[in-house]
Amino acid sequence: MAVVDLSSSLEILAREPEGFSLWDGPPFCNDQPRIKLQRVPCKNARFSEDGSRLMVMKSDSTINIYDCRSSAEIRSFEVPNILAATLSPCGTYLQTFQKSSTPQEKNLILWKTETGSPVYQQFQKNMLSTTWPSIQFSLDEAVACRLATNEIQFFDAEDFSKGIIYRLRIPGVTAVNLSKAPGSHVAAFVAESKGIPASVQIFACGKDSQTQPVARRSFFRCSTVQLSWNHGSTGLLVVAQSEVDKTNQSYYGESKLNYLTTDGTHEGLVPLRKEGPVHDVQWSSSGSEFAVVYGFMPARATVFDKKCNPLLELGTGPYNTIRWNPKGKFLCLAGFGNLPGDMAFWDYTEKKLLATTKAECSVTSEWSPDGRYFMTATTAPRLQIDNGIKIFHYNGSLYFKKMFDKLYQAEWKPEAPERFGEISELVKSIDLSLKIDESKSKGQGPKSSQVSTKTTSINPPAQKPAAYRPPHAKTSAVIQAELFGAGNPTEEMSKNALRNKKKREKQKEKKVAEGSSGANGT
């Protein structure tokens, strides 16, 4: 039985125009999250991959690094004309890219977050989203490399003062992807040139074993690729994309899914059962299976094993997104972007559909680190209206919803899934802790009420939704109540109805009394 670490709790970062806030994650007390940190002004905020550090960009020249456990500021950096910044996976290094005024100026800088000193500097002409961050790290920061002209440069991740310790020459290389856990291999993409087809090659990261690629796959009609390593660094999924579809079936070009293994046992196409583009692909946490959404609408979704054998068909529908929870037990199949927001929640271990629901206009979506909740967010600048957050249970039921005037970012604070137990164990432990908290609050009496007033709540207590009324039947009082929150319109209407009913009863009694008096007079 796995040990449940109750000290590990979920946290949510939400960034608005005024700055970012940090919430305590679900389960919420009284169905409302508590604000752990209230609206810190910033232009951007990002966690390190392990959740130990938080990078806050307060202006175009100021970056602060915080320790996530103590909320203490570790270091502040003054770097003029920042165009991009990111933390290494463990938060050891801060990488910045600046606007360069002269070619001699070294505008790519790697800083040590603890000391604030630069450990590596290099001039870089431009920065693209496909090549950022320039210096890539493995998840444990044991391996570091950088793409340069016709080569990949490797560094000693513990001592960058040594400079480049060895180089891997690959003529024409335009993109690289270092495997994360472990950092044993690197994938390199060479674009098509002068009639020579494009290719993806896999090399071992050891200096003595880089003479020949351990795997290679060539592509015709390929302009860009998406590279995705599995956990364990044994398999690589390659989505090869071309800007033009020679068959004229798709306006958005053509895409194919390829699979390569580091032991050379498989180098080829994944056998998809429907024609059309590859919308999304994701590995499970174990690295033994991957799920793919593919084909012309309605798209199809399938789970494959490491030998590309289909394990489970997830059906067809208006889908373009697949998200596997960190425990590998649940899947969310969804249709976001220009699709209506349909979602299907699957229990992969039981091979059954749990529920279907909708989250319209969602821009981002991700499972919580414990695998119990699924959060979607509608954010600016992609969408300027109806910004908000929705959190669903793993079974598809809506748990929480909050709307914003404008929301730029919403994400979970990263945590290692191993710190959390299985779903059933988490439910038992959380129910127990909630009961203990409730008993303590009851025993404290007035003090508990004083403490509760200090805790900031994001939303007022949820009210029971009113019954539907057609627009022509709404009075001005009801409209005003809905727009400006002037009381509960259903209560006001019921009072008026009761008052009118009493008037009618009094009139009836008066008529009966008058009728009886007239009869007595005759």
Side-chain angles (χ1 to χ4, degrees), residues 17 44 74 149 152 211 355 380 407 417 486:
N44 198 0
I74 299 175
T149 304
I152 303 175
T211 55
L407 178 68

Side-chain angles (χ1 to χ4, degrees), residues 197-507:
S199 66
V200 168
Q201 306 172 48
I202 298 178
F203 293 86
C205 287
K207 181 179 180 181
D208 299 330
S209 56
Q210 288 186 345
T211 55
Q212 294 295 327
V214 297
R216 178 190 176 99
R217 177 73 176 167
S218 297
F219 316 98
F220 289 98
R221 300 197 308 271
C222 175
S223 54
T224 60
V225 293
Q226 296 177 17
L227 306 173
S228 177
W229 284 100
N230 71 335
H231 183 79
S233 303
T234 58
L236 176 72
L237 290 170
V238 181
V239 181
Q241 299 173 312
S242 63
E243 297 177 354
V244 178
D245 183 5
K246 292 290 183 69
T247 62
N248 293 324
Q249 291 181 302
S250 175
Y251 175 79
Y252 300 100
E254 185 182 9
S255 59
K256 300 290 183 182
L257 181 61
N258 297 263
Y259 177 54
L260 293 83
T261 57
T262 54
D263 59 5
T265 57
H266 196 288
E267 295 176 12
L269 289 169
V270 177
L272 303 180
R273 300 182 180 182
K274 189 174 184 178
E275 290 187 359
V278 177
H279 302 289
D280 197 12
V281 59
Q282 190 179 36
W283 285 99
S284 69
S285 57
S286 65
S288 300
E289 311 93 2
F290 60 91
V292 191
V293 186
Y294 58 96
F296 296 112
M297 293 295 164
R300 189 168 186 170
T302 307
V303 178
F304 295 89
D305 64 11
K306 288 197 296 184
K307 296 182 179 180
C308 292
N309 298 315
L311 298 176
L312 177 64
E313 291 290 343
L314 303 177
T316 60
Y319 303 125
N320 61 1
T321 303
I322 190 78
R323 294 288 183 268
W324 214 312
N325 90 325
K327 295 289 185 179
K329 179 175 174 59
F330 300 109
L331 279 161
C332 179
L333 183 62
F336 297 141
N338 58 352
L339 295 179
D342 294 80
M343 296 195 300
F345 288 85
W346 282 81
D347 186 329
Y348 175 68
T349 56
E350 298 293 332
K351 305 292 190 294
K352 67 177 181 180
L353 178 65
L354 298 176
T356 58
T357 184
K358 272 194 174 185
E360 297 89 348
C361 304
S362 297
V363 176
T364 62
S365 60
E366 196 54 66
W367 285 95
S368 60
D370 66 352
R372 294 186 63 209
Y373 304 96
F374 188 76
M375 179 170 66
T376 64
T378 303
T379 56
R382 176 72 177 271
L383 291 172
Q384 299 291 342
I385 61 172
D386 296 331
N387 286 188
I389 293 172
K390 291 181 180 178
I391 299 178
F392 297 85
H393 283 288
Y394 62 89
N395 59 9
S397 61
L398 182 63
Y399 176 71
F400 173 77
K401 178 181 177 181
K402 176 171 174 59
M403 304 303 292
F404 294 81
D405 292 332
K406 185 165 285 188
L407 178 68
Y408 289 127
Q409 179 184 355
E411 62 183 55
W412 301 99
K413 172 178 166 293
E415 289 282 357
E418 296 78 19
R419 295 183 180 180
F420 303 92
E422 297 302 322
I423 299 295
S424 57
E425 297 171 2
L426 282 170
V427 170
K428 290 179 183 178
S429 62
I430 288 168
D431 288 344
L432 178 62
S433 63
L434 288 177
K435 288 179 182 178
I436 293 172
D437 290 341
E438 288 176 2
S439 62
K440 284 183 178 180
S441 62
K442 288 179 182 178
Q444 287 175 352
K447 291 183 180 179
S448 62
S449 62
Q450 293 175 2
V451 174
S452 63
T453 57
K454 294 180 181 178
T455 303
T456 307
S457 178
I458 291 178
N459 281 336
Q463 296 179 352
K464 186 177 179 180
Y468 170 75
R469 294 178 183 275
H472 65 271
K474 291 184 178 180
T475 64
S476 60
V478 177
I479 296 173
Q480 184 180 4
E482 290 183 352
L483 292 176
F484 305 109
N488 191 339
T490 57
E491 292 181 3
E492 294 182 4
M493 294 295 289
S494 62
K495 290 178 181 178
N496 292 333
L498 184 62
R499 194 180 301 113
N500 292 333
K501 184 178 179 181
K502 289 181 179 181
K503 286 182 179 180
R504 288 194 296 270
E505 289 176 353
K506 287 181 180 180
Q507 289 176 356

